């Protein structure tokens, strides 16, 4: 099907454009659109033109895939098409519905009139890609809605309903349906009114005003502080200043220059990588989109602890009835109360209507009996991270759950194949590793066992979307993707403490790099006893793997973190701040003396390199073993589950940005310090191979 088709309604030419799913304005569409508009302008029988999208949507903007290929600047580029529209001697009306974003809105701004469905989502989300609207949006929008409103639209990048702009010059009419019909009526009327006179253009309006300078001055101060790691916001402000102070042509030139500067920033590359990475994660090469899925109309959660109740809330929020099972009434009541408190808190903050909280609460059925849950379509086990306990639970689930029910484990590290093996239906077993707090964190590791059936996998991935989670498929290994990499990250963090870096310095270095929280703050939040339990298990399974003992010594003091009032830091009741702890400082000093290490000054660069490259090296092993389907999946795990800075695109993207040759070289430098584990810094074979070939993790064919 052609990307553009023209029909006639009387003397109005209706030009419909775009290709599914989002009518992005790629080269083929731009070429066909320019041809169709030129033909309509040249046709003496045409008095006016309507521009409309297809499939119920206008356009999601430029084709982001073209940024990496240079296709975006190939003529006719978006500027050329929009100039053709704006310069038309015949009135052109844009008919907007669905989404009208980025270059799509810029195209509509080039039209002389705009009609929109009131609920259509319009916006300029380029800032989320580390860019700014690069096809006249920073020059036309402020001329239509004023600099202040344009600043909010462009800096936030958020799509908003068209009705928010009612009464502004952005839309000439807001309708409830059939925007093309309304646009056609308006086009014919305007053709009559204008009677050959030039139609009105946004460029002929002014964005100047007495408050622009102070407004932009204030915006620079706040944006500069709030988005220090992101170059786009300040350049957006520069572009808007040009709209208010320069001629339209000069303003366009300024916008183009600023856009080009942003396009080549590592931050924009990282954000564009993250955009596609999040969408790629949902794809499983050997489980096509057409794979049938099982209906999930009810769920059962085993375990009413922090994780179990958090998981249950996800289902309740999605309107799916949940059985919450515990073995003891006290624990069950605590879990139910925790859920009620969560909703009450959201109602109190105005984030949830009381009626919705009540409706969700009604979907919860607490129970102490496995007899009650057999009819559920999926059951998720969220009991203590102990294989024997999980095997016992799955043996019971195998006996009570109806045929076809999905049996899921929330295990964060254990061998899912062993768990599946205790059942008679290993094909129905899958891992659904939620991250705490399970009702908040977007990441869901979907663990694919050797026997997991394709339709079970497809069903779980679809369920993840229903629960508004970002699902990443992981193979079975100790720790799956995220925690297996985290293990090496934490080993290095503890070695650094042995050698002389204090927890606060390590956290500060990581947070300056961009992590939401450093390793010791995170550990205090999650509970140091969790890592302690895992290290004990791993010490039995892999006695050869060396750990610093400092974390165990901390736990032996009962310092499990925030939940015990003290961990690596001290905490005060009702105060979420972490305070330096003299107990910990003395513990570390005694520990270093006991192991015979004279503390040395460790630079922030060494801290960050050792922690981040520990992630990268283990990520390379995970990729080579096929535990992760693609490098960008590893990035998504760390961006959505571990607080890795989005502006760096994820650990593998960050390594690609530095270059794997440089990464391998730095690892060899780090290997000169044999402290803790002399073999730690041996680069993964995949890193060696890509470093030698000049390849990158995220380029095609980066798989082993
Ligand atoms: N270009 C290319 N592909 C796009 C795309 C785009 N703009 N938007 C979406 N896709 C793909 C996406 O990768 C996925 O592909 C499929 O469409 C469905 O997307 C010059 C420079 C429109 C709200 O930033 O916000 O214009 O995985 O899963 O949930 O100033 O897509 O199926 O292969 O997200 O229904 C500015 C980005 C571009 C909008 C729909 N525009 N897109 O959400 O579907 S830069 C944007 C979205 C620009 C100009 C500048 C959302 C959506 P696949 P999806 P959805």
């Amino acid at each position: 099907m052609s990307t553009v088709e023209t029909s006639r309604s009387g003397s109005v030419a209706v030009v419909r454009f775009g290709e599914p799913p989002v009518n992005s304005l790629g080269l083929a569409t731009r070429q066909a659109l320019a041809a169709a508009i030129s033909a309509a302008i040249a046709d003496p029988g045409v008095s006016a033109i309507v521009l409309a999208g297809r499939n119920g949507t206008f356009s999601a903007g430029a084709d982001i895939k073209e940024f990496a290929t240079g296709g975006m600047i190939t003529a006719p580029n978006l500027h050329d098409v929009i100039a053709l529209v704006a310069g038309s001697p015949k009135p052109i009306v844009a008919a907007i519905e669905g989404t009208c974003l980025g270059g799509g809105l810029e195209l509509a701004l080039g039209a002389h009139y705009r009609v929109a469905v009131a609920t259509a989502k319009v916006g300029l989300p380029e800032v989320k890609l580390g860019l700014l609207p690069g096809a006249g949006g920073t020059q036309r929008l402020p001329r239509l809605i004023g600099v202040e409103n344009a600043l909010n639209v462009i800096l936030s990048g958020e799509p908003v309903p068209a009705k928010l702009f009612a009464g502004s010059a952005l839309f000439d009419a807001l309708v409830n349906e059939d925007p093309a019909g309304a646009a056609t009526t308006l086009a014919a009327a305007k053709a009559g009114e204008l009677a050959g006179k030039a139609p009105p253009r946004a460029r002929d309006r002014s964005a100047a005003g007495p408050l622009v300078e102070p407004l932009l001055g204030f915006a620079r101060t706040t944006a500069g502080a709030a988005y220090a790691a992101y170059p786009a916001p300040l350049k957006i402000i520069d572009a808007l200043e040009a709209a208010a102070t320069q001629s339209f042509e000069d303003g366009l030139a300024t916008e183009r220059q600023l856009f080009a500067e942003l396009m080549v920033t590592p931050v924009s590359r990282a954000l564009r990588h993250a955009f596609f990475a999040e969408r790629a994660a949902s794809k499983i090469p050997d489980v096509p989109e057409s794979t049938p899925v099982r209906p999930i109309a009810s769920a059962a959660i085993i375990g009413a602890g922090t994780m179990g109740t958090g998981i249950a809330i996800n289902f309740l929020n999605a309107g799916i009835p949940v059985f919450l099972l515990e073995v003891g009434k006290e624990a069950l009541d605590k879990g139910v109360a925790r859920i009620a408190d969560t909703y009450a808190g959201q109602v109190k903050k105005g984030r949830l209507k009381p009626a919705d909280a009540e409706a969700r609460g009604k979907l919860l059925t607490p129970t102490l009996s496995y007899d009650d849950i057999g009819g559920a379509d999926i059951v998720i086990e969220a009991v203590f991270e102990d294989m024997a306990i999980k095997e016992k639970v799955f043996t019971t689930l195998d006996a009570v759950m109806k045929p076809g029910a999905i049996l899921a484990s929330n295990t964060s590290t254990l061998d899912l194949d062993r768990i599946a093996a205790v059942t008679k239906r290993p094909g129905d077993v899958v891992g659904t590793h939620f991250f705490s707090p399970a009702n908040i964190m977007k990441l869901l590791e979907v663990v694919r066992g050797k026997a997991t059936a394709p339709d079970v996998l497809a069903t779980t991935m679809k369920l993840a979307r229903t629960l508004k989670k970002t699902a990443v498929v992981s193979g079975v290994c100790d720790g799956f993707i995220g925690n297996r990499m985290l293990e090496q990250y934490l080993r290095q963090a503890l070695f650094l403490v042995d050698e002389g870096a204090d927890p606060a310095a390590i956290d500060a270095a990581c947070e300056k790099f961009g992590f939401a929280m450093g390793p010791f703050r995170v550990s205090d939040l999650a509970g140091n006893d969790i890592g302690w339990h895992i290290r004990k298990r791993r010490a039995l399974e892999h006695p050869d793997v060396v750990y610093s003992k400092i974390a165990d010594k901390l736990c032996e003091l009962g310092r499990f973190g925030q939940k015990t009032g003290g961990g690596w830091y001290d905490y005060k009741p009702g105060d979420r701040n972490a305070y330096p702890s003299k107990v910990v400082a003395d513990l570390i000093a005694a520990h270093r003396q006991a192991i015979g290490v004279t503390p040395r000054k460790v630079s922030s660069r060494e801290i960050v390199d050792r922690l981040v490259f520990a992630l990268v090296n283990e990520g390379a092993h995970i990729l080579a073993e096929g535990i992760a389907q693609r490098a960008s999946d590893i990035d998504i795990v760390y961006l959505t589950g571990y607080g890795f800075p989005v502006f760096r695109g994820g650990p593998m993207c960050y390594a690609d940005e530095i270059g794997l040759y440089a990464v391998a070289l730095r690892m060899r430098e780090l290997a000169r310090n044999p402290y803790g584990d002399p073999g730690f810094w041996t680069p993964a074979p995949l890193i060696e191979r890509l470093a030698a070939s000049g390849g990158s993790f995220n380029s095609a064919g980066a798989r082993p």
Side-chain angles (χ1 to χ4, degrees):
M1 177 176 70
S2 159
T3 60
V4 175
E5 62 194 359
T6 301
S7 58
R8 285 286 290 275
S9 172
S11 66
V12 176
V14 180
V15 178
R16 286 189 175 280
F17 68 90
E19 292 173 274
V22 296
N23 297 349
S24 51
L25 295 163
L27 178 58
T29 298
R30 296 197 307 269
Q31 286 168 329
L33 195 51
I37 293 167
S38 300
I41 290 171
D43 182 338
V46 169
S47 65
I49 300 164
V50 167
L51 275 185
R54 277 179 168 149
N55 313 305
T57 191
F58 189 76
S59 171
D63 182 342
I64 309 174
K65 288 190 275 293
E66 285 188 342
F67 294 178
T69 63
M72 186 188 162
I73 54 176
T74 308
N77 63 37
L78 209 39
H79 279 283
D80 301 331
V81 176
I82 296 171
L84 176 66
V85 169
S88 163
K90 300 177 181 178
I92 296 183
V93 184
I96 294 164
E97 58 184 337
T99 56
C100 177
L101 301 175
L105 180 56
E106 291 175 296
L107 175 62
L109 294 175
H112 308 114
Y113 306 96
R114 284 158 295 278
V115 172
V117 171
T119 54
K121 289 288 179 72
V122 299
L124 293 171
E126 289 86 344
V127 69
K128 294 182 179 179
L129 299 172
L131 299 170
L132 54 73
T138 65
Q139 305 304 306
R140 290 189 173 93
L141 189 63
R143 283 175 164 80
L144 290 165
I145 64 173
V147 170
E148 184 172 7
N149 289 330
L151 184 67
N152 289 332
V153 169
I154 300 172
L155 271 186
S156 73
E158 286 305 317
V160 295
K163 63 188 173 190
L164 288 191
F165 299 99
S168 79
L170 182 55
F171 296 117
D172 300 273
L174 289 170
V175 296
N176 292 322
E177 57 188 7
D178 189 18
T184 301
T185 305
L186 180 68
K190 290 300 179 186
E193 280 172 38
L194 290 167
K197 276 194 311 189
R201 301 178 303 175
R203 63 176 294 161
D204 298 327
R205 300 167 63 98
S206 168
L211 294 177
V212 169
E213 191 186 338
L215 169 77
L216 294 185
F218 175 73
R220 278 198 177 89
T221 309
T222 44
Y227 308 107
Y230 295 85
L234 289 178
K235 290 190 187 296
I236 286 168
I237 295 166
D238 292 345
L240 288 169
E241 183 174 54
T245 58
Q246 298 175 11
S247 70
F248 182 76
E249 290 305 334
D250 288 349
L252 273 188
T254 301
E255 176 193 86
R256 264 199 293 273
Q257 174 59 31
L258 294 168
F259 180 83
E261 289 167 10
L262 288 172
M263 181 62 92
V264 295
T265 59
V267 171
S268 183
R269 279 196 291 271
L271 294 174
R272 297 186 328 247
H273 165 74
F275 174 86
F276 286 116
E278 182 169 2
R279 287 154 181 82
S282 63
K283 295 173 177 57
I284 308 170
D286 65 333
V287 179
E289 303 262 326
S290 56
T291 305
V293 295
R294 300 183 191 181
I296 301 289
S298 63
I301 311 292
I302 312 297
T306 309
M307 285 307 289
T309 50
I311 294 169
I313 289 171
N314 288 311
F315 283 90
L316 298 174
N317 291 349
I320 299 173
V322 174
F323 287 91
L324 183 62
L325 184 141
E326 252 297 353
V327 290
K329 185 155 181 354
E330 188 188 343
L332 183 60
D333 292 346
K334 263 178 79 177
V336 170
R338 188 180 294 117
I339 292 172
D341 291 349
T342 300
Y343 283 137
Q346 289 175 1
V347 167
K348 194 168 169 216
K349 289 177 192 149
R351 288 191 197 144
L352 187 65
K353 295 193 186 82
D356 291 341
E358 189 184 349
R360 293 177 191 182
K362 285 183 179 147
L363 295 174
L364 179 66
T365 307
T367 177
L368 295 168
S369 166
Y370 275 93
D371 295 343
D372 292 343
I373 67 167
D377 295 317
I378 184 170
V379 57
I380 300 180
E381 161 273 314
V383 300
F384 191 62
E385 191 71 353
D386 177 277
M387 183 56 87
I389 298 174
K390 292 188 188 295
E391 286 177 334
K392 187 166 178 292
V393 167
F394 271 78
T395 303
T396 307
L397 293 178
D398 194 28
V400 304
M401 298 310 294
K402 70 180 181 185
I406 291 178
L407 314 183
S409 169
N410 178 54
T411 180
S412 59
T413 58
L414 297 175
D415 183 344
L416 185 83
D417 294 329
R418 246 185 80 181
I419 293 171
V422 304
T423 72
K424 299 183 190 63
R425 40 178 149 173
D428 293 343
V429 177
V430 68
T432 51
H433 176 210
F434 289 83
F435 286 73
S436 183
N439 55 307
I440 306 286
M441 295 296 282
K442 275 177 68 75
L443 179 60
L444 176 67
E445 277 184 327
V446 175
V447 183
R448 180 176 190 173
K450 286 193 184 65
T452 302
D455 71 320
V456 169
L457 204 54
T459 304
T460 308
M461 296 299 279
K462 181 171 185 277
L463 174 64
R465 283 195 294 279
T466 305
L467 301 181
K468 295 189 172 40
K469 297 296 178 184
T470 299
V472 175
V473 175
S474 171
V476 175
C477 69
D478 189 342
F480 311 129
I481 297 172
N483 282 345
R484 174 170 158 183
M485 291 165 64
L486 185 70
E487 184 61 26
Q488 304 312 325
Y489 172 88
L490 293 175
R491 287 182 69 210
Q492 279 302 318
L494 296 175
F495 288 151
L496 281 160
V497 172
D498 285 3
E499 294 177 77
D502 293 332
I506 294 167
D507 282 348
C510 291
E511 287 156 22
K512 187 166 187 299
F513 174 80
F515 276 98
M517 282 174 104
F520 298 97
R521 294 284 306 276
V522 170
S523 198
D524 271 0
L525 179 68
N528 297 317
D529 51 329
I530 294 174
W532 194 23
H533 178 77
I534 291 170
R535 284 194 303 278
K536 285 177 185 170
R537 171 175 66 80
R538 286 194 173 136
L540 296 173
E541 292 169 356
H542 307 286
D544 55 314
V545 178
V546 175
Y547 290 89
S548 158
K549 295 297 180 202
I550 184 61
D552 300 344
K553 291 180 179 176
L554 183 84
C555 290
E556 283 153 13
L557 297 179
R559 294 182 67 93
F560 295 159
Q562 290 187 17
K563 61 185 174 186
T564 56
W568 293 103
Y569 299 90
D570 285 343
Y571 298 91
K572 296 170 185 164
D575 177 350
R576 299 180 69 81
N577 291 315
Y579 297 93
S581 163
K582 185 169 179 336
V583 169
V584 173
D586 294 346
L587 177 74
I588 290 171
H591 170 70
R592 287 169 180 159
Q593 198 168 13
I595 60 176
V597 169
T598 305
R600 66 180 174 88
K601 177 93 181 79
V602 184
S603 69
S604 293
R605 178 169 179 251
E606 180 181 345
I607 291 171
V608 168
D609 284 353
R610 286 175 60 175
L611 294 185
V612 175
F613 292 156
L615 294 176
V616 171
N617 206 32
E618 197 60 28
H621 286 298
I622 285 170
L623 191 55
E625 294 165 24
I627 295 293
Q629 296 184 105
R630 52 186 79 83
S632 61
D633 280 5
I634 297 172
D635 287 331
I636 288 300
V637 165
Y638 264 75
L639 293 178
T640 56
Y642 291 81
F644 198 92
V646 177
F647 63 85
R648 296 191 191 272
M652 313 310 268
C653 177
Y654 172 69
D656 282 348
E657 187 65 34
I658 293 175
L660 294 181
Y661 181 81
V663 170
L665 210 53
R666 182 63 175 140
M667 289 171 75
R668 286 197 187 86
E669 285 172 9
L670 293 171
R672 290 189 203 128
N673 166 19
Y675 183 83
D677 177 353
F680 192 100
W681 291 113
T682 305
L686 181 58
I687 290 179
E688 295 278 21
R689 177 167 73 81
L690 292 172
S693 64
S696 65
F697 286 126
N698 278 297
S699 61
R703 294 301 304 279

